Amino acid sequence: MEGLGVFDYAGTYENGSRSVWAEDVIYIEEMQKYVTYFCTSSTYIKSKLCYATADRPEGPYAYQGTLLYSGFTAQDIEDTDVYEYVDSETAAAIYLSGGHNSIEGPYIQYDADSGYYYLYVSYGGLERTGGYQIRVFRSKTPDGEYTDMNGSFPSLGCDHSKYGLKLSGNYYMPGCKYAYMATGGQSAFRDTDGKLLLHQSGEKDQ
């Protein structure tokens, strides 16, 4: 994907390497295309969410554009498309005021049995001692509002760790060879036997 603008905003790491991560592939019937969503980044906050399309799940994929920017400052906000959606005053009040909270990796799944859309997210620092974990919210509509078991949801600037039903965190079970740290980066699906399953990444520690 070199030369197509995919790394223009995010840039590279100090050693010149590039990061592509958190990819997901779905088939969109209306487009009759496979779409892969992925992030590019150069720091722990400067990233962008991109997408590319293909005729087959294995590719090749053609880069199409950027859906979301993060980690920008007043010095490089014009490298994004933020001003196409909000004016400079709104951007300064909301998007340049350091409202970062460790909540990421959203995945939405519809459950026909309950009639709810479930939003899975990851919390905490992505490290073995950072408390990385999975929490879930639900909503009757795909665009929200999503609430937890107490009917609450996090707002801008609050402590997000107080919200959401915790599904998974660091754990070690007797008889297991490894302890599992930083569980997150989740997706969900229904198996052929009807069971709802949650897939997650995690760091193993001996």
Side-chain angles (χ1 to χ4, degrees):
M1 294 185 181
E2 288 285 349
L4 296 176
V6 65
F7 296 106
D8 287 354
Y9 168 75
T12 65
Y13 290 108
E14 291 182 2
N15 63 5
S17 63
R18 303 180 189 274
S19 174
V20 177
W21 54 282
E23 68 281 356
D24 190 27
V25 177
I26 64 170
Y27 182 73
I28 299 182
E29 186 70 35
E30 292 80 3
M31 298 172 62
Q32 294 189 345
K33 293 283 187 180
Y34 290 90
V35 181
T36 179
Y37 300 93
F38 60 96
C39 289
T40 64
S41 63
S42 60
T43 71
Y44 76 100
I45 58 172
K46 191 169 186 179
S47 302
K48 69 175 188 174
L49 175 61
C50 312
Y51 74 105
T53 60
D55 295 321
R56 299 178 299 172
E58 66 272 22
Y61 284 86
Y63 173 65
Q64 299 297 332
T66 301
L67 299 171
L68 184 68
Y69 294 87
S70 70
F72 49 82
T73 66
Q75 285 68 47
D76 60 8
I77 189 174
E78 293 189 0
D79 295 334
T80 75
D81 62 354
V82 172
Y83 288 147
E84 295 180 18
Y85 302 95
V86 298
D87 57 34
S88 58
E89 291 184 1
T90 302
I94 298 177
Y95 298 111
L96 301 177
S97 57
H100 172 71
N101 283 279
S102 293
I103 181 170
E104 63 177 7
Y107 191 91
I108 296 174
Q109 180 188 41
Y110 178 69
D111 176 42
D113 293 337
S114 66
Y116 279 94
Y117 292 87
Y118 289 86
L119 171 64
Y120 303 89
V121 294
S122 296
Y123 279 14
L126 183 53
E127 54 186 346
R128 61 185 299 183
T129 59
Y132 207 53
Q133 58 189 259
I134 300 172
R135 299 203 179 204
V136 65
F137 299 81
R138 71 178 187 175
S139 171
K140 282 291 188 181
T141 59
D143 55 351
E145 294 177 340
Y146 285 87
T147 59
D148 61 14
M149 59 286 184
N150 297 316
S152 302
F153 59 93
S155 58
L156 184 66
C158 73
D159 181 1
H160 288 180
S161 65
K162 298 178 180 179
Y163 300 89
L165 176 64
K166 184 178 178 181
L167 296 180
S168 175
N170 294 354
Y171 66 91
Y172 175 77
M173 294 183 178
C176 289
K177 184 177 180 180
Y178 300 102
Y180 286 82
M181 312 291 188
T183 59
Q186 65 287 326
S187 60
F189 64 96
R190 185 182 291 275
D191 204 351
T192 55
D193 61 4
K195 291 181 180 179
L196 292 172
L197 302 176
L198 184 68
H199 172 266
Q200 63 183 38
S201 61
E203 175 186 328
K204 291 188 294 186
D205 184 43
Q206 289 183 319

